[in-house]
Amino acid sequence: MLALLTGGLASVLSACGKSDVTFRYRLAFSVSVNGAVKSGSSIISVRYWKGGASWGTGEATYAVVNGVAPVIDLGEYGMLVAAMAYDVDAWARRKACKQPLAAESLPGKFGLAPAALANLREGKRDLTDGSCPAFIWFPSGQSYERAQQLCPEEFSGAIGANVELRSVTIEAAPDAPLVTRLAISAPWLDEIRADQKSGRVTTWAGTFKPLRTRQIETDETNL
């Protein structure tokens, strides 16, 4: 999953002079469902590097994300994913919250130059100041195409009256094992893998369709 950085860590990376670094972290979140707290976490790796800009305007900064998004089983309400990327149009249509952050931007919450970030052995940051990833809700028993990208403020209205976000954190995890394929059983996950195995995804204006290898799991194995 390749992304071009336009700010934040991009400017820091340029300033520090380090052209190729990797940072591995744990993204975790928890929600309250009818008074019971449920939590999920996953490991994400981000590689940042500088390269020649194709338009001859100088160096651009790129990032490659690997890993899986954390998932929480909400029981009768379905499953909730803290996505590694977000659909700009789905957010902009409602703007129910502050613009979400993608996986390559979350490490910027440590406030470190990437060279120092890559050497960080421990450290944790709270993201519940509004600088959260986007969340994707997969309703129980429905096609993945019925999923919704939500802001935390929308959980109670869309998912259930007693569903609310409790915490979101990012923590340095340099030695944690990295996986790129979710080890869960869910019909919507089987469906999205089969539907998007070719890498070609058809979407329509004004609709949201989760993108598996950008938002959920970076494994590109053809099933």
Side-chain angles (χ1 to χ4, degrees), residues 66-199:
N66 276 298
V68 297
V71 181
I72 293 178
D73 188 339
L74 303 176
E76 63 180 301
Y77 297 105
M79 291 187 173
L80 188 63
V81 175
M84 293 183 287
Y86 67 97
D87 184 299
V88 176
D89 291 339
W91 170 78
R93 282 196 296 271
R94 301 185 312 277
K95 292 187 178 179
C97 60
K98 186 176 179 180
Q99 189 166 2
L101 294 179
E104 64 268 18
S105 298
L106 290 174
K109 302 301 292 185
F110 283 99
L112 298 174
L117 194 63
N119 293 320
L120 191 65
R121 306 303 301 175
E122 60 183 19
K124 191 173 184 178
R125 293 292 183 272
D126 183 356
L127 302 181
T128 48
D129 60 353
S131 302
C132 293
F135 295 91
I136 303 176
W137 172 49
F138 293 89
S140 180
Q142 298 190 36
S143 166
Y144 85 89
E145 294 184 333
R146 299 296 300 275
Q148 296 180 46
Q149 179 176 286
L150 300 173
C151 296
E153 291 84 346
E154 299 175 298
F155 287 1
S156 60
I159 304 175
N162 295 313
V163 178
E164 61 179 13
L165 182 69
R166 293 292 297 270
S167 67
V168 188
T169 60
I170 179 175
E171 182 177 9
D175 301 319
L178 181 71
V179 298
T180 59
R181 189 178 179 87
L182 285 170
I184 62 173
S185 177
W188 63 263
L189 185 56
D190 294 337
E191 182 188 12
I192 196 173
R193 285 171 175 168
D195 188 44
Q196 299 184 9
K197 66 181 180 180
S198 66

Side-chain angles (χ1 to χ4, degrees), residues 25-41:
Y25 65 89
R26 176 175 286 102
L27 174 62
F29 76 111
S30 66
V31 294
S32 175
V33 182
N34 296 327
V37 177
K38 298 177 178 286
S39 60
S41 68

